[in-house]
Amino acid sequence: MQQRMQQRIGKLTTADGATVAYASVGSGRPLLYVSGWLSHLELSWELPEERALYEGLAEGCRLVRYDRLGCGLSAPTDRPPSLECELEQVATLAAALGPEPFDLMGVSLGAPVAAAWAAAHPETVRRLVLYGGWATGSAIASPEVRDGVLGLVESHWGLGSDVLTDIFAPDAPAGSRAAFGRYQRASSDAATARSLLELSYRLDVSGVLAGVRAPTLVVHREHDRAAPVAQAAALADGIAGAQLIVLPGRSHLPWAGDRHALVTTVRRFLGLRASRTGAGRLTARQAEVAALVSAGCTNREIGERLGIDERSAEGHVERIRLRLGFRSRAQIAAWYAAAHDRAAD
Protein backbone atom coordinates (compact mmCIF):
# COMPACT_ATOMS: atom_id res chain seq x y z
CA MET A 1 0.00 0.00 0.00
CA GLN A 2 1.29 3.46 -0.89
CA GLN A 3 2.34 5.38 2.23
CA ARG A 4 0.37 8.58 2.79
CA MET A 5 2.24 11.85 2.50
CA GLN A 6 2.78 14.08 5.51
CA GLN A 7 2.98 17.85 5.25
CA ARG A 8 5.45 19.96 7.20
CA ILE A 9 4.40 23.35 8.57
CA GLY A 10 6.84 26.24 8.84
CA LYS A 11 6.85 30.02 9.29
CA LEU A 12 8.48 32.78 7.28
CA THR A 13 8.75 36.53 7.85
CA THR A 14 7.86 39.06 5.16
CA ALA A 15 9.91 42.17 4.46
CA ASP A 16 7.66 44.23 6.75
CA GLY A 17 7.85 41.73 9.62
CA ALA A 18 4.60 39.78 9.20
CA THR A 19 4.52 36.01 9.75
CA VAL A 20 3.38 33.77 6.89
CA ALA A 21 2.71 30.09 7.53
CA TYR A 22 3.53 27.59 4.81
CA ALA A 23 3.21 23.84 4.29
CA SER A 24 5.55 21.62 2.31
CA VAL A 25 4.88 18.08 1.10
CA GLY A 26 6.85 15.79 -1.19
CA SER A 27 10.38 16.28 -2.49
CA GLY A 28 12.04 17.41 -5.68
CA ARG A 29 11.60 20.48 -7.85
CA PRO A 30 9.43 23.10 -6.07
CA LEU A 31 5.86 23.79 -7.12
CA LEU A 32 4.65 26.94 -5.37
CA TYR A 33 0.86 26.94 -5.02
CA VAL A 34 -0.96 30.26 -4.61
CA SER A 35 -4.37 29.45 -3.19
CA GLY A 36 -7.74 31.03 -3.76
CA TRP A 37 -9.78 33.35 -1.58
CA LEU A 38 -9.35 31.72 1.87
CA SER A 39 -7.20 28.86 3.13
CA HIS A 40 -6.20 27.01 6.27
CA LEU A 41 -3.18 24.73 5.89
CA GLU A 42 -4.21 22.29 8.60
CA LEU A 43 -7.96 22.15 8.01
CA SER A 44 -7.60 21.82 4.23
CA TRP A 45 -5.24 18.88 4.80
CA GLU A 46 -7.92 17.21 6.91
CA LEU A 47 -10.54 17.38 4.14
CA PRO A 48 -10.05 14.09 2.23
CA GLU A 49 -10.85 15.42 -1.25
CA GLU A 50 -8.65 18.48 -0.88
CA ARG A 51 -5.79 16.49 0.62
CA ALA A 52 -6.00 14.06 -2.31
CA LEU A 53 -5.56 17.01 -4.70
CA TYR A 54 -2.38 18.12 -2.96
CA GLU A 55 -1.01 14.58 -2.69
CA GLY A 56 -1.67 14.10 -6.39
CA LEU A 57 0.17 17.29 -7.28
CA ALA A 58 3.09 16.54 -4.93
CA GLU A 59 4.12 13.16 -6.35
CA GLY A 60 7.64 13.63 -7.70
CA CYS A 61 7.95 17.28 -6.67
CA ARG A 62 7.84 19.49 -3.58
CA LEU A 63 4.47 21.21 -3.25
CA VAL A 64 4.61 24.39 -1.17
CA ARG A 65 1.39 26.12 -0.09
CA TYR A 66 0.87 29.07 2.22
CA ASP A 67 -1.90 30.89 4.06
CA ARG A 68 -2.06 34.52 2.96
CA LEU A 69 -1.88 37.11 5.73
CA GLY A 70 -5.07 37.24 7.76
CA CYS A 71 -5.97 33.65 6.95
CA GLY A 72 -5.42 30.25 8.53
CA LEU A 73 -2.14 29.90 10.41
CA SER A 74 -0.64 33.16 9.12
CA ALA A 75 -0.62 36.34 11.17
CA PRO A 76 -3.43 38.90 11.03
CA THR A 77 -2.60 42.15 9.32
CA ASP A 78 -3.84 45.73 9.40
CA ARG A 79 -2.87 46.25 5.76
CA PRO A 80 -5.80 46.29 3.35
CA PRO A 81 -5.57 43.54 0.71
CA SER A 82 -3.83 44.59 -2.48
CA LEU A 83 -1.87 43.07 -5.35
CA GLU A 84 1.27 44.64 -3.88
CA CYS A 85 0.71 42.87 -0.57
CA GLU A 86 0.00 39.57 -2.37
CA LEU A 87 3.22 39.83 -4.37
CA GLU A 88 5.24 40.58 -1.24
CA GLN A 89 4.04 37.30 0.23
CA VAL A 90 4.93 35.41 -2.94
CA ALA A 91 8.37 37.05 -2.78
CA THR A 92 8.85 35.74 0.75
CA LEU A 93 8.10 32.18 -0.35
CA ALA A 94 10.14 32.50 -3.54
CA ALA A 95 13.22 33.60 -1.59
CA ALA A 96 12.90 30.55 0.66
CA LEU A 97 12.76 28.19 -2.34
CA GLY A 98 16.25 29.11 -3.46
CA PRO A 99 17.82 30.64 -6.58
CA GLU A 100 16.62 28.12 -9.18
CA PRO A 101 13.42 28.78 -11.16
CA PHE A 102 10.36 27.04 -9.71
CA ASP A 103 6.99 25.97 -11.05
CA LEU A 104 4.14 28.27 -10.05
CA MET A 105 0.43 27.41 -9.84
CA GLY A 106 -2.25 29.97 -9.04
CA VAL A 107 -5.82 28.96 -8.26
CA SER A 108 -8.84 31.30 -8.36
CA LEU A 109 -7.68 34.56 -6.72
CA GLY A 110 -4.19 33.05 -6.80
CA ALA A 111 -4.26 32.89 -10.61
CA PRO A 112 -4.07 36.64 -11.35
CA VAL A 113 -1.57 36.97 -8.49
CA ALA A 114 0.62 34.23 -9.97
CA ALA A 115 0.35 35.77 -13.45
CA ALA A 116 1.40 39.17 -12.10
CA TRP A 117 4.37 37.60 -10.31
CA ALA A 118 5.48 35.73 -13.45
CA ALA A 119 5.27 38.94 -15.47
CA ALA A 120 7.28 40.95 -12.94
CA HIS A 121 9.85 38.23 -12.17
CA PRO A 122 10.18 36.08 -15.30
CA GLU A 123 13.56 34.74 -14.25
CA THR A 124 12.03 32.94 -11.24
CA VAL A 125 9.32 30.90 -12.97
CA ARG A 126 10.01 27.70 -14.92
CA ARG A 127 6.39 26.89 -15.81
CA LEU A 128 3.13 28.64 -14.90
CA VAL A 129 -0.28 27.05 -14.30
CA LEU A 130 -3.41 29.19 -13.89
CA TYR A 131 -6.59 27.40 -12.77
CA GLY A 132 -10.05 28.92 -12.32
CA GLY A 133 -8.68 32.41 -12.73
CA TRP A 134 -9.42 35.67 -14.47
CA ALA A 135 -7.72 38.62 -16.07
CA THR A 136 -10.31 41.19 -15.00
CA GLY A 137 -12.03 40.68 -11.65
CA SER A 138 -14.91 43.02 -12.41
CA ALA A 139 -15.94 40.63 -15.21
CA ILE A 140 -16.59 37.77 -12.79
CA ALA A 141 -20.08 39.00 -11.96
CA SER A 142 -22.36 41.98 -12.41
CA PRO A 143 -22.09 44.92 -9.98
CA GLU A 144 -25.40 43.92 -8.40
CA VAL A 145 -24.21 40.37 -7.76
CA ARG A 146 -20.85 41.53 -6.43
CA ASP A 147 -22.49 43.97 -4.00
CA GLY A 148 -24.96 41.33 -2.87
CA VAL A 149 -22.29 38.71 -2.18
CA LEU A 150 -20.01 41.17 -0.36
CA GLY A 151 -22.91 42.35 1.79
CA LEU A 152 -23.90 38.79 2.65
CA VAL A 153 -20.36 37.82 3.68
CA GLU A 154 -20.01 40.94 5.80
CA SER A 155 -23.35 40.74 7.59
CA HIS A 156 -24.03 36.98 7.71
CA TRP A 157 -20.65 35.23 7.48
CA GLY A 158 -22.10 31.82 8.34
CA LEU A 159 -24.76 31.98 5.66
CA GLY A 160 -22.39 33.69 3.23
CA SER A 161 -19.78 30.96 3.51
CA ASP A 162 -22.41 28.27 2.93
CA VAL A 163 -23.85 30.05 -0.11
CA LEU A 164 -20.40 30.54 -1.63
CA THR A 165 -19.48 26.92 -0.95
CA ASP A 166 -22.53 25.78 -2.90
CA ILE A 167 -21.43 28.03 -5.78
CA PHE A 168 -17.79 26.94 -5.57
CA ALA A 169 -18.34 23.18 -5.24
CA PRO A 170 -21.68 21.99 -6.61
CA ASP A 171 -20.13 18.64 -7.56
CA ALA A 172 -18.84 17.90 -4.05
CA PRO A 173 -20.79 15.66 -1.63
CA ALA A 174 -22.96 17.51 0.89
CA GLY A 175 -20.71 16.46 3.77
CA SER A 176 -17.62 17.85 2.04
CA ARG A 177 -19.38 21.14 1.30
CA ALA A 178 -20.42 21.44 4.94
CA ALA A 179 -16.87 20.74 6.13
CA PHE A 180 -15.48 23.28 3.66
CA GLY A 181 -17.95 25.90 4.84
CA ARG A 182 -16.83 25.35 8.43
CA TYR A 183 -13.17 25.61 7.60
CA GLN A 184 -13.74 28.78 5.58
CA ARG A 185 -15.24 30.33 8.71
CA ALA A 186 -12.29 29.06 10.75
CA SER A 187 -9.87 30.51 8.20
CA SER A 188 -10.79 34.15 8.73
CA ASP A 189 -13.26 36.53 10.24
CA ALA A 190 -16.04 38.15 8.24
CA ALA A 191 -14.16 41.41 7.67
CA THR A 192 -11.10 39.65 6.24
CA ALA A 193 -13.25 37.38 4.08
CA ARG A 194 -15.11 40.36 2.67
CA SER A 195 -11.98 42.40 1.98
CA LEU A 196 -10.25 39.51 0.18
CA LEU A 197 -13.34 38.81 -1.88
CA GLU A 198 -13.51 42.48 -2.78
CA LEU A 199 -9.87 42.26 -3.90
CA SER A 200 -10.86 39.36 -6.17
CA TYR A 201 -13.39 41.58 -7.88
CA ARG A 202 -10.97 44.50 -8.08
CA LEU A 203 -7.87 42.79 -9.48
CA ASP A 204 -7.10 43.48 -13.13
CA VAL A 205 -3.91 41.96 -14.54
CA SER A 206 -4.85 42.24 -18.21
CA GLY A 207 -2.23 44.94 -18.71
CA VAL A 208 0.70 42.84 -17.48
CA LEU A 209 -0.01 39.48 -19.10
CA ALA A 210 2.20 40.26 -22.10
CA GLY A 211 5.16 40.27 -19.71
CA VAL A 212 4.78 36.57 -18.86
CA ARG A 213 7.63 34.62 -20.46
CA ALA A 214 7.24 31.19 -18.86
CA PRO A 215 5.42 28.40 -20.70
CA THR A 216 1.87 28.72 -19.41
CA LEU A 217 -1.10 26.40 -19.01
CA VAL A 218 -4.51 27.97 -18.41
CA VAL A 219 -7.01 25.34 -17.24
CA HIS A 220 -10.66 25.93 -16.39
CA ARG A 221 -13.86 23.98 -15.97
CA GLU A 222 -16.43 24.57 -18.68
CA HIS A 223 -19.35 25.54 -16.46
CA ASP A 224 -17.46 27.07 -13.53
CA ARG A 225 -20.14 28.88 -11.54
CA ALA A 226 -17.76 31.33 -9.85
CA ALA A 227 -15.48 32.43 -12.70
CA PRO A 228 -16.66 32.50 -16.34
CA VAL A 229 -14.65 30.46 -18.81
CA ALA A 230 -14.36 33.60 -20.96
CA GLN A 231 -11.93 34.96 -18.38
CA ALA A 232 -9.75 31.87 -18.78
CA ALA A 233 -9.68 32.61 -22.50
CA ALA A 234 -8.71 36.21 -21.70
CA LEU A 235 -5.76 34.96 -19.63
CA ALA A 236 -4.62 32.62 -22.39
CA ASP A 237 -5.05 35.27 -25.10
CA GLY A 238 -2.96 37.74 -23.13
CA ILE A 239 0.02 35.41 -22.58
CA ALA A 240 2.10 34.58 -25.63
CA GLY A 241 1.99 30.87 -26.42
CA ALA A 242 -0.29 29.99 -23.49
CA GLN A 243 -2.20 26.72 -23.75
CA LEU A 244 -5.89 26.73 -22.77
CA ILE A 245 -7.54 23.50 -21.66
CA VAL A 246 -11.22 23.52 -20.70
CA LEU A 247 -12.29 20.50 -18.66
CA PRO A 248 -15.87 19.33 -18.15
CA GLY A 249 -17.48 20.26 -14.84
CA ARG A 250 -19.16 23.01 -12.81
CA SER A 251 -17.02 23.28 -9.69
CA HIS A 252 -14.66 26.18 -9.13
CA LEU A 253 -12.70 24.51 -6.33
CA PRO A 254 -10.00 22.31 -7.88
CA TRP A 255 -10.58 19.37 -5.54
CA ALA A 256 -14.32 19.14 -6.28
CA GLY A 257 -15.63 17.19 -9.25
CA ASP A 258 -13.19 15.24 -11.43
CA ARG A 259 -10.09 16.03 -9.42
CA HIS A 260 -7.94 13.39 -11.09
CA ALA A 261 -8.51 14.83 -14.57
CA LEU A 262 -7.25 18.21 -13.35
CA VAL A 263 -4.23 16.71 -11.60
CA THR A 264 -3.36 14.66 -14.69
CA THR A 265 -3.58 17.74 -16.92
CA VAL A 266 -1.36 19.83 -14.65
CA ARG A 267 1.22 17.09 -14.08
CA ARG A 268 1.53 16.39 -17.80
CA PHE A 269 2.22 20.08 -18.47
CA LEU A 270 4.83 20.20 -15.69
CA GLY A 271 6.59 17.14 -17.06
CA LEU A 272 5.69 14.88 -14.13
CA ARG A 273 4.62 11.27 -14.36
CA ALA A 274 0.94 10.42 -14.13
CA SER A 275 -0.24 10.52 -10.52
CA ARG A 276 -0.98 7.23 -8.78
CA THR A 277 -3.51 8.96 -6.52
CA GLY A 278 -6.92 7.91 -7.78
CA ALA A 279 -5.49 6.47 -11.00
CA GLY A 280 -7.56 3.73 -12.57
CA ARG A 281 -10.67 4.46 -10.49
CA LEU A 282 -13.68 5.05 -12.71
CA THR A 283 -17.23 5.86 -11.76
CA ALA A 284 -19.86 3.23 -12.58
CA ARG A 285 -20.95 5.22 -15.65
CA GLN A 286 -17.34 5.66 -16.79
CA ALA A 287 -16.77 1.92 -16.46
CA GLU A 288 -19.78 1.32 -18.74
CA VAL A 289 -18.41 3.77 -21.29
CA ALA A 290 -14.92 2.23 -21.11
CA ALA A 291 -16.43 -1.20 -21.81
CA LEU A 292 -18.19 0.15 -24.89
CA VAL A 293 -15.01 1.87 -26.08
CA SER A 294 -13.24 -1.46 -25.70
CA ALA A 295 -16.00 -3.06 -27.78
CA GLY A 296 -15.24 -0.60 -30.59
CA CYS A 297 -18.32 1.59 -30.24
CA THR A 298 -18.31 5.15 -31.56
CA ASN A 299 -19.51 8.02 -29.42
CA ARG A 300 -22.87 7.92 -31.22
CA GLU A 301 -23.21 4.21 -30.55
CA ILE A 302 -22.25 4.68 -26.90
CA GLY A 303 -24.92 7.34 -26.58
CA GLU A 304 -27.55 5.08 -28.15
CA ARG A 305 -26.63 2.18 -25.86
CA LEU A 306 -26.76 4.31 -22.71
CA GLY A 307 -29.62 6.62 -23.63
CA ILE A 308 -27.51 9.80 -23.68
CA ASP A 309 -26.64 12.19 -26.49
CA GLU A 310 -23.46 11.90 -28.51
CA ARG A 311 -21.87 14.96 -26.93
CA SER A 312 -22.37 13.52 -23.43
CA ALA A 313 -20.77 10.27 -24.56
CA GLU A 314 -17.83 12.22 -25.94
CA GLY A 315 -17.47 14.01 -22.59
CA HIS A 316 -17.42 10.71 -20.72
CA VAL A 317 -14.68 9.36 -23.00
CA GLU A 318 -12.61 12.52 -22.51
CA ARG A 319 -12.93 12.33 -18.72
CA ILE A 320 -11.89 8.67 -18.76
CA ARG A 321 -8.87 9.51 -20.89
CA LEU A 322 -7.79 12.29 -18.54
CA ARG A 323 -8.48 10.26 -15.40
CA LEU A 324 -6.33 7.38 -16.63
CA GLY A 325 -3.65 9.61 -18.10
CA PHE A 326 -4.16 8.27 -21.63
CA ARG A 327 -3.93 10.02 -24.99
CA SER A 328 -6.24 7.90 -27.15
CA ARG A 329 -9.32 5.69 -27.24
CA ALA A 330 -7.09 2.77 -28.17
CA GLN A 331 -5.30 3.08 -24.83
CA ILE A 332 -8.64 3.09 -23.00
CA ALA A 333 -9.69 -0.04 -24.87
CA ALA A 334 -6.41 -1.80 -24.12
CA TRP A 335 -6.55 -0.82 -20.46
CA TYR A 336 -10.11 -2.06 -20.07
CA ALA A 337 -9.35 -5.36 -21.81
CA ALA A 338 -6.31 -5.94 -19.61
CA ALA A 339 -8.27 -5.11 -16.43
CA HIS A 340 -11.10 -7.42 -17.53
CA ASP A 341 -8.63 -10.23 -18.20
CA ARG A 342 -7.07 -9.82 -14.75
CA ALA A 343 -10.51 -9.91 -13.12
CA ALA A 344 -11.36 -13.09 -15.02
CA ASP A 345 -8.19 -14.77 -13.80
Side-chain angles (χ1 to χ4, degrees), residues 58 128 223:
L128 175 66
H223 300 294

Side-chain angles (χ1 to χ4, degrees), residues 28-81:
R29 186 176 63 231
L31 168 57
L32 179 58
Y33 184 99
V34 186
S35 71
W37 177 37
L38 302 176
S39 67
H40 193 298
L41 296 173
E42 289 181 338
L43 297 180
S44 61
W45 192 248
E46 293 172 2
L47 188 66
E49 294 91 343
E50 190 165 2
R51 176 169 177 166
L53 169 76
Y54 301 139
E55 289 179 327
L57 290 173
E59 289 179 28
C61 69
R62 179 188 173 208
L63 178 69
V64 179
R65 303 182 295 131
Y66 66 95
D67 286 334
R68 57 176 42 87
L69 292 175
C71 294
L73 304 180
S74 289
T77 178
D78 293 331
R79 293 181 61 181

